[in-house]
């Protein structure tokens, strides 16, 4: 069994390494209580652990041990005066599937663990040989990113945002990849792989430069003060050098920063709170605006909103989808809008796909709407055609 802790990076960032170390020790203590006599647990490094289960446990025993690990490690950790919540992703492999080769054995469990992490927080997955093909594809994608940049396989599509009068007032820049070797690769697939493999910064820099290069043409299409939004990942906002690169591109392409907005997801912001604050403060000082994306889909802790300087709150698509379907979701959406107004924030709802959703959001005070009902993402060439 190969497991790592979901959200542990945020523990070290928020509470310090002393608290983080105490959490790791408590993880070991809780795990050992679940294991049988003869089972071995070791810390591989960081927040990664290996468990060697002896005597070939059957499917039921594996399930019971995994469920108990997930359940016990999901319970809050009380460390000093703090209550800390983490999760765990578990991958399980059998030695026989790797012909008892130790490195392949561990690698198989790691592959299964990655599948758990992609599926949902706090889950467990048993390795099957078919996963090797998925792993090969992940490696191929990760290793193809530099080449894709070099051979100009990426492109930017722009999705319009409209105001209350349904006039286009902005665009979100969305990356697309048409690979010579892999065909069309979805951002939902390659962005997480790029983050995990340390390649996301290359992609972010490419997007920033390309948007700057295309910016004059975009402004020519829209006569009003259109704003173009660019996305930053959790990895980007931890990299202080990226600020210098952004300044360099803005200077090189003579970008008026009042036309630029940076979007960061709620979960990325809160996992790196201090780093995000410092990073985004510098962008605001340049004259850019800041939007908090996917609001309500992550931590949903309201206290931090008083500690950060935002311009826009983006309501997550999951709330928009359930408008007038779920009473609770509808109420939460109305509450988010009202709260944002009280905080003098602009409100943008994403994933708007019906007239009914649009009417509800506008009636309740949304300033901007984004979604297929108004516009799908289109290439610059299509945008210029009108």
């Amino acid at each position: 069994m190969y497991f790592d802790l979901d959200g542990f990076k945020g523990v070290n960032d928020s509470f310090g390494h002393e608290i983080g170390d105490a959490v790791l020790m408590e993880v070991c203590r809780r795990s050992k209580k679940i294991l049988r006599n003869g089972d071995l647990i070791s810390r591989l490094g960081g927040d990664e652990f290996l468990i060697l289960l002896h005597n070939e446990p059957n499917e039921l025993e594996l399930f019971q041990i995994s469920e108990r690990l997930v359940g016990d490690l999901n319970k809050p950790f009380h460390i000093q005066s703090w209550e800390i919540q983490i999760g765990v992703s578990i991958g399980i492999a059998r030695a026989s599937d790797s012909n008892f080769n130790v490195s392949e054995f561990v690698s198989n469990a790691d592959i299964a663990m990655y599948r758990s992490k992609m599926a949902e927080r706090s889950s467990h997955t048993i390795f099957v040989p078919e996963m090797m093909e998925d792993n090969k594809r992940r490696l191929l994608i990760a290793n193809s990113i530099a080449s894709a940049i070099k051979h100009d396989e990426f492109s930017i599509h722009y999705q319009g945002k409209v105001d209350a009068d349904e006039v286009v007032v902005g665009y979100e820049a969305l990356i697309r990849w048409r690979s010579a070797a892999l065909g069309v690769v979805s951002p939902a697939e390659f962005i997480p792989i790029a983050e995990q493999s340390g390649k996301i910064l290359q992609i972010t820099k490419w997007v920033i430069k390309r948007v700057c290069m295309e910016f004059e043409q975009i402004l020519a299409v829209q006569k009003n003060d259109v704003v173009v939004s660019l996305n930053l990942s959790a990895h980007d906002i931890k990299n202080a050098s990226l600020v210098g690169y952004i300044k360099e591109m803005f200077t090189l392409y003579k970008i008026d920063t009042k036309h630029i907005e940076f979007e960061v997801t709620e979960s990325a912001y809160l996992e790196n709170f201090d780093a995000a604050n410092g990073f985004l403060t510098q962008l605001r000082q340049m004259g850019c605006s800041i939007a908090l994306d996917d609001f309500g889909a992550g931590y949903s802790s309201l206290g931090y909103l008083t500690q950060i300087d935002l311009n826009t709150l983006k309501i997550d698509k999951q709330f928009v989808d359930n408008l007038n379907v779920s009473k609770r979701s509808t109420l939460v959406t109305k509450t988010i809008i009202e709260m944002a107004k009280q905080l003098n924030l602009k409100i943008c709802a994403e994933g708007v796909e019906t007239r009914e959703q649009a009417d509800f959001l506008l009636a309740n005070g949304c300033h901007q709407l984004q979604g297929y009902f108004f516009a799908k993402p289109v290439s610059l060439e299509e945008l210029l055609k009108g």
Side-chain angles (χ1 to χ4, degrees):
M1 304 179 81
Y2 189 125
F3 74 82
D4 84 352
L5 306 176
D6 301 325
F8 182 74
K9 176 71 170 61
V11 174
N12 275 338
D13 289 346
S14 301
F15 301 101
H17 288 274
E18 183 183 348
I19 299 293
D21 289 347
V23 170
L24 292 175
M25 289 187 281
E26 181 60 24
V27 166
C28 283
R29 280 191 285 269
R30 291 188 188 184
S31 300
K32 285 168 72 175
K33 288 179 182 177
I34 293 165
L35 300 180
R36 309 161 302 164
N37 288 333
D39 294 339
L40 299 173
I41 181 169
S42 65
R43 178 171 169 240
L44 188 61
D47 62 342
E48 297 176 318
F49 293 81
L50 287 174
I51 295 171
L52 187 62
L53 300 171
H54 82 305
N55 282 354
E56 192 73 20
N58 61 37
E59 297 287 336
L60 179 60
E61 287 175 309
L62 272 178
F63 180 81
Q64 289 172 335
I65 292 169
S66 302
E67 283 289 289
R68 287 190 64 194
L69 278 169
V70 167
D72 279 24
L73 297 181
N74 258 323
K75 292 175 183 174
F77 290 79
H78 298 280
I79 308 291
Q80 295 182 18
S81 59
W82 301 104
E83 181 178 291
I84 296 166
Q85 187 83 45
I86 57 172
V88 60
S89 296
I90 303 173
I92 304 162
R94 296 183 183 278
S96 55
D97 284 335
S98 58
N99 295 316
F100 300 92
N101 177 289
V102 173
S103 61
E104 192 178 330
F105 184 24
V106 174
S107 176
N108 288 351
D110 185 19
I111 290 168
M113 187 275 290
Y114 181 84
R115 180 67 65 92
S116 292
K117 196 170 280 291
M118 290 297 99
E120 56 181 298
R121 290 171 72 95
S122 296
S123 61
H124 49 90
T125 305
I126 296 177
F127 174 83
V128 292
E130 289 77 13
M131 290 180 186
M132 288 301 297
E133 289 305 311
D134 289 346
N135 191 54
K136 287 177 184 174
R137 179 173 170 83
R138 286 201 347 259
L139 289 172
L140 182 57
I141 287 172
N143 292 331
S144 299
I145 288 171
S147 173
I149 291 172
K150 182 179 178 181
H151 294 104
D152 214 24
E153 292 181 350
F154 289 121
S155 63
I156 300 293
H157 279 48
Y158 296 92
Q159 185 174 27
K161 301 177 184 180
V162 302
D163 63 10
D165 296 321
E166 300 187 14
V167 174
V168 173
V169 291
Y171 296 98
E172 181 175 357
L174 300 165
I175 190 167
R176 296 292 183 262
W177 184 8
R178 184 179 290 277
S179 165
L182 298 162
V184 175
V185 188
S186 165
E189 182 179 22
F190 74 78
I191 293 295
I193 292 170
E195 290 178 339
Q196 192 189 41
S197 61
K199 306 286 180 67
I200 192 66
L201 186 62
Q202 296 175 45
I203 291 176
T204 301
K205 284 184 172 181
W206 183 90
V207 169
I208 290 166
K209 183 174 183 179
R210 180 54 59 97
V211 169
C212 289
M213 290 170 64
E214 297 178 352
F215 202 77
E216 194 173 334
Q217 292 171 279
I218 297 167
L219 287 185
V221 174
Q222 297 293 335
K223 304 304 180 188
N224 54 354
D225 285 338
V226 69
V227 173
V228 176
S229 301
L230 299 101
N231 291 284
L232 294 173
S233 76
H235 296 264
D236 296 329
I237 58 180
K238 289 185 287 186
N239 194 311
S241 68
L242 183 58
V243 174
Y245 180 82
I246 292 169
K247 283 182 180 176
E248 185 185 333
M249 290 300 105
F250 286 173
T251 302
L252 180 63
Y253 292 99
K254 299 180 175 60
I255 302 298
D256 184 346
T257 53
K258 73 179 183 181
H259 294 294
I260 297 289
E261 177 178 71
F262 285 96
E263 295 187 14
V264 60
T265 64
E266 180 185 31
S267 56
Y269 202 117
L270 293 185
E271 282 178 16
N272 310 274
F273 192 82
D274 292 336
N277 258 347
F279 189 100
L280 296 176
T281 295
Q282 292 182 75
L283 297 184
R284 281 181 59 85
Q285 288 170 349
M286 284 186 220
C288 305
S289 52
I290 306 298
L292 194 67
D293 198 7
D294 296 346
F295 182 76
Y299 291 76
S300 300
S301 168
L302 301 180
Y304 72 87
L305 284 177
T306 61
Q307 302 173 49
I308 59 179
D309 205 356
L310 295 171
N311 302 94
T312 302
L313 208 59
K314 291 192 79 176
I315 299 173
D316 187 65
K317 184 181 186 300
Q318 70 179 38
F319 294 113
V320 175
D321 286 344
N322 287 308
L323 286 177
N324 299 319
V325 175
S326 160
K327 284 186 179 180
R328 181 169 292 184
S329 188
T330 303
L331 178 60
V332 168
T333 304
K334 291 174 74 172
T335 304
I336 290 172
I337 295 170
E338 188 56 39
M339 178 192 65
K341 286 193 288 189
Q342 294 297 323
L343 293 171
N344 293 318
L345 297 175
K346 191 179 293 179
I347 311 129
C348 177
E350 56 186 354
V352 180
E353 296 180 352
T354 69
R355 167 51 63 190
E356 186 182 26
Q357 291 169 347
D359 289 345
F360 176 92
L361 291 161
L362 292 173
N364 281 277
C366 249
H367 301 105
Q368 291 183 0
L369 304 178
Q370 178 183 355
Y372 281 16
F373 182 73
F374 298 104
K376 293 183 177 181
V378 296
S379 66
L380 179 66
E381 185 182 10
E382 292 173 281
L383 193 66
L384 296 177
K385 286 179 183 174

